[in-house]
Amino acid sequence: EPEVTQTPSHQVTQMGQEVILRCVPISNHLYFYWYRQILGQKVEFLVSFYNNEISEKSEIFDDQFSVERPDGSNFTLKIRSTKLEDSAMYFCASRNEWSTNYGYTFGSGTRLTVV
Amino acid sequence: AQSVTQLDSHVSVSEGTPVLLRCNYSSSYSPSLFWYVQHPNKGLQLLLKYTSAATLVKGINGFEAEFKKSETSFHLTKPSAHMSDAAEYFCVPSGGSNYKLTFGKGTLLTVNP
């Protein structure tokens, strides 16, 4: 069964450093998302991406965050200058139709630890 | 706007007994609803989805859910719990212009031997 692949599974970074979280969505999917889950808290929507541009972003997704689809397969989330509060599990997801008939497929997540 | 309420933050059952995880929705129109499961330190897995095609929806691992418009409910059930079912379960509506998912706090299911 097709999977969404995220790398790395765990990343530790120093405060103020830039990090790039990588995702390979399912190949025929067109809509891509990032969510995050701070330990012990709810899963939160960050951003949706379609047709090479952001279609919606949450208040969390400030100027420190950016997303990119640099080629036909990867979808990345960049945090320019990490803060302690960015420590969380980050999930990438994709879907294949602009429809509510299909659930998302989530990756297994990247645990980001900012020290 | 769509929202859901998972009535129990924690449900504990014995292995082999039925599971009932409750979810009520609030929507001004017929929603799309999903149940996701998250095992410890794992990602989010789709269990099943309701998209108005059928009110009784069967999912993976023996789970099913019934959409009841009169009760605005979409409860998740399983006839017989297995130890591997221990996880956090999320009832999630999809909506808005980008069909983003809005997660609540979930229900933690523990299964006792």
Side-chain angles (χ1 to χ4, degrees):
Chain A
E1 186 165 332
E3 292 184 340
V4 173
T5 305
Q6 289 187 244
T7 55
S9 58
H10 189 190
Q11 180 152 1
V12 181
T13 188
Q14 288 199 326
M15 191 169 53
Q17 294 296 305
E18 174 184 286
V19 294
I20 297 176
L21 310 183
R22 302 183 191 280
C23 170
V24 179
I26 294 173
S27 61
N28 64 347
H29 284 190
L30 301 177
Y31 307 94
F32 314 113
Y33 304 81
W34 283 100
Y35 289 77
R36 80 171 186 189
Q37 185 179 31
I38 295 172
L39 188 64
Q41 298 188 23
K42 296 188 288 186
V43 176
E44 303 171 290
F45 167 78
L46 289 179
V47 66
S48 59
F49 190 88
Y50 168 70
N51 199 25
N52 286 319
E53 62 182 23
I54 291 173
S55 45
E56 185 175 351
K57 59 184 180 179
S58 71
E59 292 179 354
I60 303 167
F61 196 88
D62 61 21
D63 292 344
Q64 293 299 311
F65 291 87
S66 62
V67 290
E68 193 177 31
R69 189 155 163 81
D71 51 43
S73 61
N74 290 285
F75 179 52
T76 61
L77 174 69
K78 181 192 292 185
I79 309 175
R80 290 189 182 81
S81 178
T82 50
K83 303 186 285 284
L84 293 176
E85 53 265 38
D86 294 326
S87 295
M89 182 76 93
Y90 288 81
F91 294 106
C92 174
S94 67
R95 65 186 304 165
N96 65 349
E97 276 202 15
W98 195 245
S99 161
T100 57
N101 289 332
Y102 297 90
Y104 293 33
T105 300
F106 281 87
S108 55
T110 293
R111 181 170 297 285
L112 176 66
T113 303
V114 182
V115 297
Chain B
Q2 297 190 52
S3 66
V4 295
T5 302
Q6 288 184 246
L7 297 164
D8 306 295
S9 59
H10 186 198
V11 170
S12 182
V13 301
S14 297
E15 190 175 20
T17 63
V19 175
L20 170 64
L21 305 182
R22 298 182 293 168
C23 172
N24 284 92
Y25 71 89
S26 171
S27 176
S28 57
Y29 53 92
S30 186
S32 289
L33 293 164
F34 305 92
W35 275 100
Y36 280 88
V37 60
Q38 185 179 27
H39 288 90
N41 299 314
K42 299 289 185 184
L44 294 153
Q45 184 181 22
L46 179 66
L47 273 178
L48 50 81
K49 55 183 182 257
Y50 169 74
T51 56
S52 76
T55 56
L56 182 62
V57 183
K58 293 188 183 299
I60 62 172
N61 301 335
F63 284 94
E64 63 180 39
E66 186 171 5
F67 179 81
K68 292 186 177 180
K69 190 172 182 178
S70 60
E71 300 176 9
T72 61
S73 69
F74 190 56
H75 301 333
L76 182 70
T77 60
K78 183 173 180 177
S80 176
H82 192 273
M83 295 296 291
S84 61
D85 295 327
E88 186 132 29
Y89 291 79
F90 299 93
C91 179
V92 186
S94 174
S97 57
N98 292 293
Y99 300 106
K100 68 184 182 192
L101 300 180
T102 303
F103 286 83
K105 290 189 175 181
T107 298
L108 179 65
L109 175 66
T110 57
V111 182
N112 304 307

